[in-house]
Amino acid sequence: MLRLSKQTDYATVLLSHMASAPQRVCNVSELAQATHVSAPMASKTLKVLAREGLIESERGASGGYRLSRDPSQISIADIVRAIEGPIALTQCSSHEGCSLQSHCQIRPHWQVINSTIINSLKQLSLAELQGPASHLGL
Amino acid sequence: MLRLSKQTDYATVLLSHMASAPQRVCNVSELAQATHVSAPMASKTLKVLAREGLIESERGASGGYRLSRDPSQISIADIVRAIEGPIALTQCSSHEGCSLQSHCQIRPHWQVINSTIINSLKQLSLAELQGPASHLGL
DNA sequence: CTAAATAGGACCAAATGGGTACGATATGCT
DNA sequence: AGCATATCGTACCCATTTGGTCCTATTTAG
Ligand code: FES
Ligand code: FES
């Protein structure tokens, strides 16, 4: 359905909340309460984000998560890539290779579309999510 | 994985081939051979495209499919919408409503991103798929 | 009448996505 | 030392979606 997963949605909301007070270390239950994401899903999601390097974790009592870089340096594209893996609209725009590839003329076009979308997702950073929606001249 | 379905891929290839000789009526097996899409899948896909009005069908012997409008009037966005339904990156950018919706600040941003992507898919028509890839200033 | 073609499903297997649970490990505090 | 509080890793389950096949109508040319 050309939809990104709910987990990506959760990730964005969680990160967006963390960006409102960068540096601060938040634990799962706090983030879950603030964002209304269920605690187990918040936990699952934050683990992935930590593994992918978007946030850093402090373990043990009074531990939690903290953004690993400035909110302006984290884009929606980063979040999507962290949760869903590389953005490739079609099989042939990744390196898996498409069954039609050998006789197909439109592959380069897919790649163009793919880059266009990636670019538009890169345009928007966590920092900008804080403000009102007014980007890309729309 | 932010990937459009293989059927959408098939649809694009099939339509692209039909666009190389608009007006002409092609039957399934011809299209399957030309595009290397398996005949059953080509058939299934073309049925959907016909139902959604992108192509018109002629039934009976020597029947087949024909583009219902000029290739320049059919965009990738049309194809995606025909096969996958409305493009909505997140639940909350459609009207289904998102579980977080009531306390969420970033919803308007999703809508902006969504429109951006739809626009970039609208930019590219079947007619342009015929030529080399050089769109959107990339 | 018959062959060729689409229409519209049912149907199945595999993959994906959403969500839960649990044991292991690390840290601060008393 | 010992306990409470956290994250980490992963395994698991269930519902949905996807990819693909197949079969039976119905339509039309010759
Ligand atoms: S190579 Fe995948 S659609 Fe052309
Ligand atoms: S309303 Fe869905 S993520 Fe904000």
Side-chain angles (χ1 to χ4, degrees):
Chain A
M1 217 188 300
L2 191 51
R3 172 165 300 186
L4 21 80
S5 72
K6 260 195 147 185
Q7 205 182 358
T8 305
D9 209 335
Y10 295 156
T12 312
V13 176
L14 290 166
L15 288 172
S16 166
H17 180 261
M18 292 174 77
S20 69
Q23 315 295 352
R24 175 135 159 274
V25 174
C26 312
N27 64 27
V28 170
S29 51
E30 178 195 335
L31 284 168
Q33 278 205 324
T35 59
H36 294 82
V37 175
S38 84
M41 277 311 291
S43 168
K44 179 178 184 170
T45 304
L46 291 162
K47 283 176 210 168
V48 177
L49 294 174
R51 171 165 49 82
E52 298 296 321
L54 294 192
I55 58 183
E56 281 165 2
S57 64
E58 309 224 343
R59 302 182 62 167
S62 82
Y65 295 97
R66 186 184 55 248
L67 291 183
S68 64
R69 18 189 173 119
D70 190 84
S72 65
Q73 298 306 305
I74 300 180
S75 71
I76 301 285
D78 292 327
I79 305 175
V80 174
R81 174 170 283 113
I83 303 286
E84 321 213 1
I87 298 172
L89 272 201
T90 57
Q91 251 182 339
C92 38
S93 41
S94 76
H95 17 56
E96 298 171 38
C98 170
S99 49
L100 313 173
Q101 198 155 332
S102 43
H103 309 83
C104 176
Q105 319 250 316
I106 66 179
R107 184 158 163 241
H109 296 277
W110 280 130
Q111 288 168 337
V112 171
I113 296 177
N114 207 45
S115 326
T116 307
I117 293 188
I118 293 181
N119 275 342
S120 73
L121 293 179
K122 274 187 188 160
Q123 297 292 322
L124 195 52
S125 74
L126 271 189
E128 288 159 325
L129 279 189
Q130 302 298 111
S134 59
H135 317 277
L136 311 170
L138 277 168
Chain B
M1 218 188 298
L2 192 51
R3 174 165 301 184
L4 22 79
S5 73
K6 260 195 146 186
Q7 204 180 2
T8 306
D9 209 336
Y10 295 154
T12 312
V13 176
L14 291 165
L15 289 172
S16 167
H17 181 261
M18 293 174 76
S20 69
Q23 314 297 352
R24 174 133 161 276
V25 174
C26 312
N27 64 27
V28 169
S29 51
E30 177 194 334
L31 284 168
Q33 277 204 327
T35 59
H36 294 83
V37 177
S38 85
M41 276 311 290
S43 168
K44 180 177 185 172
T45 305
L46 291 163
K47 282 176 209 171
V48 176
L49 293 175
R51 172 165 48 81
E52 298 296 320
L54 294 193
I55 59 183
E56 281 165 2
S57 65
E58 309 224 342
R59 302 181 62 166
S62 83
Y65 296 97
R66 187 183 56 249
L67 291 183
S68 64
R69 12 183 178 125
D70 190 83
S72 64
Q73 299 305 304
I74 301 181
S75 71
I76 302 283
D78 292 326
I79 305 175
V80 174
R81 175 169 284 112
I83 304 285
E84 321 212 2
I87 298 172
L89 273 202
T90 57
Q91 251 181 338
C92 39
S93 42
S94 77
H95 16 56
E96 298 171 38
C98 171
S99 49
L100 312 173
Q101 197 155 333
S102 43
H103 310 82
C104 176
Q105 320 250 312
I106 67 179
R107 184 158 164 240
H109 296 277
W110 281 130
Q111 287 167 337
V112 171
I113 296 177
N114 206 44
S115 328
T116 308
I117 292 188
I118 293 180
N119 275 341
S120 72
L121 293 178
K122 273 188 189 159
Q123 296 292 321
L124 195 52
S125 74
L126 273 188
E128 287 159 325
L129 279 191
Q130 302 298 110
S134 60
H135 315 277
L136 310 171
L138 276 170

